[in-house]
Each structure stands twice: as C-alpha cells, then as structure tokens.
Amino acid sequence: MADKSGVDVNVKQVIVIRKDLKMRRGKEIAQGSHASVKFLSDRIRKVTNHRVPSMAGEHFPVFLSDVEEAWIMGSFAKICLRVESEEALLALHEKAQEAGLVSSLIQDAGRTEFHGVPTYTCLAIGPDEAEKIDVITGDLKLY
C-alpha cells in the first residue's frame, strides 16, 4: 500500500485481548470489535457540534492521518494477539501511547460478565505503520 507521496507503507491495527479472563468467544469478539473502531468513534465524538452541511445532508468531518486513511481505504489489516493479565494490557497501552501510537483501551462495564465489576478486556493499537506497532507488540503471541 502506498501513501499519498507514493511510498509503500505496510499499515495494520493490532488488537490485544486478555486471555486470562476466559471470556465467552462472542464476548471476546465484541470487545475486540469495540477496540478496533474506538479510534474512529473517538474522533467522531469530538466533532459532534461541528456538523458540515452537504447536498446529502449533514455529516461529521473526521480528520485522519495519511496512514489511517490508507488503512481505511485499503485492506483493514488486523492482527489479534493476547496477553495474560490486566497489568500486561495496561503496560502495553502505556508503552504504545509513549511511542506516539493511538491505543484504544476498552473497559467492559461488567453487566453481562465480571459480576458487575468494570474490567479492562482488550485494546487496539493503530492503525499505523506495522514497523512502529511491531516495536511494541512484536513479542506477543497470536491469539
């Protein structure tokens, strides 16, 4: 995939799920899906008071980096990885943010699992250049 300057860029998003929680498969899929779209929904929420009129009606202006746009317009590459604890998940989130990457941490409200206790279940890093994400997640196991 090439960016606007024509340079080839390998773009992906990594979803990291806590395996220690032993979530039902459907719950894991839902949580990973929340993480995947959170970077985009966060941007939309920031501009809710700035709707732009057009011939098709009003819409939200969402600003994406070149890499994010390449990911959305391309193959939406996602890699699912796992960690074995909340501490590992939170450390990964912090490390990604320190590296300047978008890291979308998901905390489940606990209504259907976790006995009413809000619980960090997963996160998504990116979309961004694969080599930047791999520095943070390269040692993790595939889910």
Side-chain angles (χ1 to χ4, degrees), residues 48-121:
T48 56
N49 295 327
H50 305 286
R51 292 178 182 248
V52 177
S54 72
M55 291 177 64
E58 290 186 343
H59 62 274
F60 299 116
V62 178
F63 301 98
L64 303 172
S65 70
D66 289 347
V67 174
E68 291 167 340
E69 185 178 328
W71 183 76
I72 286 174
M73 300 304 287
S75 65
F76 283 92
K78 295 174 199 69
I79 307 297
C80 291
L81 304 173
R82 65 183 180 190
V83 292
E84 298 295 335
S85 69
E86 178 179 294
E87 294 78 20
L89 186 73
L90 296 176
L92 198 62
H93 177 61
E94 185 175 322
K95 193 173 178 183
Q97 288 185 317
E98 288 173 356
L101 296 168
V102 172
S103 181
S104 302
L105 182 63
I106 300 300
Q107 184 179 46
D108 184 72
R111 288 191 280 273
T112 60
E113 292 190 26
F114 315 123
H115 310 289
V117 177
T119 303
Y120 291 110
T121 57

Side-chain angles (χ1 to χ4, degrees), residues 41-53:
S41 63
D42 285 350
R43 303 254 177 100
I44 292 169
R45 288 178 180 150
K46 286 181 183 178
V47 298
T48 56
N49 295 327
H50 305 286
R51 292 178 182 248
V52 177

